Amino acid sequence: MMNLLDIKTPAQGQAGSLRSDYGLANHGLTNLAQVYWNLPTEALYEEVIFRTEARITRQGPLVAYTGKHTARSATDKFIVREPSSEDRVWWGQYNRPMAPDKFNDLVHRLQGFLQGRDLFVQDCYAGADPEFRLPIRIITELAWHSHFARNMFLLPLTNDECRRHVPEFTIICVPSFKGVQQIDNTASETVIALNFDQRLGIIGNSAYAGEIKKTVFTILNYLLPNQGVLSMHCSANVGHDGDVALFFGLSGTGKTTLSADPNRGLIGDDEHGWSDNGVFNIEGGCYAKVIQLSATAEPEIYSTTHMFGTLLENVVFDPVTRVIDLDSDRFTENTRASYPLEFIGNAVPEKRAGHPKNVVLLTCDASGVMPPIARLAPDQALYQFVSGYTSKVGGTEVGLGREPEMTFSACFGGPFMVHHPYFYADLLKRKMLRYGATCWLVNTGWIGGPYGIGKRISIRHTRALLNAVLSGQLTDVRYRVDPIFGFEVPTVCGEVPASVLNPSESWSDRNVYTQKYRQLASRFIENFRKFESGCPPEVVAAGPRL
């Protein structure tokens, strides 16, 4: 915002009270108007409302709208190709190269663009394990983005810590700044660019807050594996006996919902690291999908949508009563809630725990043929992990329609993986073998037929299966070997019907089921060909056989 009339804003008097000695001039940002440093939630609320960036709804959550971009713009993401990182990056669909001179031109133009404008700064950290914690700085044009950063990342504990904060990576998010395709060689006016040498990331022409979150995750996906730490797109929780469970999966597969178990402590809902010290949350908050959120099925997450401090993205509300409508998809199916992890009553304050006992790979099979749960051998686990099969649902990326779209996303987070997928898979295998973790494939998709014919597996049945896994009930039950994929499928599991455990029994025509299953297996084989040269033969052989 350019405050041309020099109007005093609510937090202007306290704007520099929590200022870092490492100022914005170190980022080449000079001749600025007012810089608001590390404002707390209450002050950010006042600034957001003063600037008409968002609205307050009943019981206190803010609702902000992101305009054109209501999801991640994966095709607009670039990584600068420079000597320190070019041999480590898995260049391709998600890691598009940008020339260093183009990035420098982009930064210089942005530095000029920001002169005379107000900016908001949040100095924070990524990584709850002090040994691997990364000091970061989030510089934003919008006050509500600063509030988002405050919700999502780990915060300094004292004023002196704010003053001494020196970022090791900086993100500058300016939605009103546009890339120029003819100059920057970008795919559009939207640009998300990372430079690992300069430790700098730029987000332009997108107000979707998820870009900030996933840019930081992409950074950690590059840095942590270089230190022997597995960075993971997963949620994590821990039982009363200290047994940790990981839930890998893309958006819409149930990571957030299934990890928010009232009987277990929540370590985090989306991004974690696994070091030799155990599992730790990369973030300090949650960014949950809230479309059609149920107070009955998901009470912990639902309650956060009625709390002061929660930031709701693209959620419809009544302007008179200020009551939100979580069932409406007027703007997008990808409605979101950002809130501190502590808003979940059973959250683990340390955001850390020991080594996992169970690793769960979540897939949303829209073709309706995968079993709801299967136990995987180590090489099968790697095959499924590298494949990352699921269905994209609910508009989590730009250009995605309403119907689920079959996809293979390496490591269940392809858009954020910087190294070759087997680099992460090898780390996963070594840690699973070292610490004795069992891997499970859990399907939260459709049964009785594909999307549009069958119905989605109920959360109640999925929770029953997971409870059986986490309690050890599935250790000694009878299993059948899947004839195509070779993994083990339990034949009984408490209250879960046989027609759910064996999907072929829920189809009206078993021949059609078998045909669809074989078609899916063919897609697996075809997809894995692009990884074969980087994977050992035993992992390649652990895939489906036709």
Side-chain angles (χ1 to χ4, degrees):
M1 170 178 144
M2 298 192 76
N3 193 351
L4 299 177
L5 299 179
D6 196 27
I7 299 171
K8 187 175 178 63
T9 74
Q12 191 168 325
Q14 300 79 44
S17 299
L18 298 176
R19 182 184 184 278
S20 166
D21 290 342
Y22 190 86
L24 295 192
N26 291 285
H27 308 292
L29 301 177
T30 57
N31 299 322
L32 303 170
Q34 184 67 60
V35 180
Y36 296 82
W37 288 85
N38 298 307
L39 292 184
T41 298
E42 294 78 8
L44 286 168
Y45 258 66
E46 293 172 353
E47 286 292 326
V48 166
I49 299 305
F50 176 81
R51 296 161 188 266
T52 65
E53 293 178 3
R55 305 289 292 276
I56 300 176
T57 58
R58 189 178 180 186
Q59 296 178 289
L62 283 174
V63 170
Y65 296 102
T66 61
K68 173 186 174 182
H69 288 300
T70 58
R72 288 182 293 103
S73 188
T75 58
D76 292 306
K77 173 188 161 189
F78 295 87
I79 293 178
V80 176
R81 190 162 199 157
E82 41 78 26
S84 73
S85 62
E86 67 174 334
D87 292 337
R88 298 173 182 245
V89 175
W90 183 44
W91 302 105
Q93 178 185 3
Y94 296 119
N95 299 312
R96 298 169 180 82
M98 174 178 275
D101 60 322
K102 294 295 182 183
F103 181 81
N104 292 336
D105 289 345
L106 185 74
V107 172
H108 294 155
R109 201 164 70 251
L110 178 61
Q111 290 166 341
F113 180 84
L114 291 175
Q115 293 189 29
R117 296 175 184 268
D118 291 352
L119 289 177
F120 293 83
V121 180
Q122 288 292 333
D123 284 331
C124 33
Y125 304 96
D129 185 337
E131 186 177 346
F132 302 104
R133 179 172 293 169
L134 180 73
I136 59 175
R137 172 168 289 172
I138 311 296
I139 303 170
T140 63
E141 174 185 24
L142 299 175
W144 78 264
H145 278 164
S146 195
H147 176 44
F148 175 84
R150 192 172 183 84
N151 272 356
M152 295 309 303
F153 302 110
L154 300 157
L155 302 174
L157 299 178
T158 65
N159 293 357
D160 188 57
E161 194 176 350
C162 289
R163 183 182 63 80
R164 293 184 287 105
H165 190 94
V166 178
E168 292 184 20
F169 225 108
T170 300
I171 307 297
I172 306 176
C173 178
V174 186
S176 65
F177 177 75
K178 298 180 179 181
V180 181
Q181 292 172 264
Q182 296 85 347
I183 297 175
D184 304 316
N185 289 346
T186 52
S188 71
E189 293 181 334
T190 302
V191 57
I192 299 99
L194 271 175
N195 189 319
F196 288 112
D197 181 48
Q198 297 183 19
R199 299 276 175 138
L200 178 63
I202 304 295
I203 301 171
N205 196 45
S206 175
Y208 179 65
E211 295 288 11
I212 299 173
K213 167 188 165 69
K214 290 307 184 187
T215 297
V216 172
F217 185 44
T218 302
I219 292 165
L220 270 294
N221 273 330
Y222 175 74
L223 297 176
L224 288 177
N226 291 334
Q227 303 173 69
V229 178
L230 175 61
S231 54
M232 305 176 291
H233 188 212
C234 73
S235 58
N237 63 24
V238 58
H240 299 299
D241 297 328
D243 59 301
V244 174
L246 303 180
F247 302 84
F248 285 88
L250 289 187
S251 178
T253 55
K255 287 196 317 299
T256 301
T257 297
L258 295 172
S259 58
D261 184 335
N263 299 313
R264 296 172 64 83
L266 179 65
I267 304 168
D269 83 320
D270 195 48
E271 301 170 5
H272 292 82
W274 186 356
S275 72
D276 289 334
N277 303 327
V279 170
F280 62 90
N281 197 343
I282 286 174
E283 301 177 305
C286 300
Y287 188 51
K289 286 190 71 173
V290 294
I291 190 71
Q292 298 179 346
L293 197 66
S294 166
T296 303
E298 300 142 306
E300 294 81 18
I301 302 171
Y302 182 87
S303 67
T304 69
T305 64
H306 298 83
M307 293 182 181
F308 177 87
T310 292
L311 175 63
L312 299 173
E313 217 176 30
N314 298 314
V315 170
V316 172
F317 71 97
D318 186 307
V320 176
T321 65
R322 300 301 175 97
V323 174
I324 59 174
D325 181 1
L326 297 179
D327 292 328
S328 176
D329 59 358
R330 184 194 306 172
F331 302 106
T332 176
E333 287 189 19
N334 190 36
T335 53
R336 294 276 177 169
S338 162
Y339 50 89
L341 189 68
E342 290 73 21
F343 281 17
I344 301 293
N346 61 329
V348 177
E350 301 81 9
K351 302 175 180 64
R352 302 169 60 192
H355 297 285
K357 183 178 179 181
N358 290 287
V359 174
V360 178
L361 308 182
L362 295 169
T363 182
C364 176
D365 175 31
S367 64
V369 294
M370 295 283 278
I373 193 165
R375 186 168 61 186
L376 307 180
D379 288 330
Q380 290 173 338
L382 264 62
Y383 185 94
Q384 293 292 334
F385 181 70
V386 171
S387 296
Y389 167 66
T390 191
S391 300
K392 296 179 184 178
V393 294
T396 53
E397 288 186 17
V398 171
L400 187 63
R402 290 178 179 270
E403 289 194 11
E405 180 181 305
M406 181 186 292
T407 189
F408 291 88
S409 186
C411 309
F412 294 94
F416 329 118
M417 301 298 150
V418 185
H419 301 281
H420 186 280
Y422 190 72
F423 191 63
Y424 302 97
D426 183 55
L427 274 173
L428 176 64
K429 182 178 181 178
R430 284 190 275 135
K431 292 187 182 300
M432 285 178 57
L433 292 175
R434 182 172 182 179
Y435 299 109
T438 302
C439 190
W440 307 82
L441 182 67
V442 172
N443 172 26
T444 62
W446 277 257
I447 198 162
Y451 173 85
I453 298 175
K455 62 180 181 179
R456 194 153 187 189
I457 298 171
S458 72
I459 292 176
R460 180 171 61 88
H461 287 149
T462 301
R463 282 200 183 280
L465 290 166
L466 287 174
N467 289 339
V469 165
L470 300 177
S471 66
Q473 293 177 26
L474 288 186
T475 303
D476 299 318
V477 301
R478 184 180 168 192
Y479 285 81
R480 66 178 177 86
V481 176
D482 186 274
I484 293 179
F485 281 84
F487 41 53
E488 296 179 319
V489 181
T491 57
V492 292
C493 181
E495 63 184 44
V496 182
S499 60
V500 174
L501 289 172
N502 187 351
S504 66
E505 295 187 9
S506 63
W507 280 61
S508 58
D509 188 326
R510 288 202 178 195
N511 290 329
V512 175
Y513 165 83
T514 302
Q515 181 184 4
K516 292 290 185 183
Y517 203 14
R518 291 177 64 84
Q519 288 175 358
L520 177 61
S522 296
R523 293 288 296 271
F524 266 85
I525 295 168
E526 178 186 353
N527 171 74
F528 208 83
R529 287 197 179 103
K530 59 178 174 279
F531 305 117
E532 287 182 358
S533 61
C535 293
E538 61 270 22
V539 174
V540 178
R545 296 187 179 185
L546 296 176

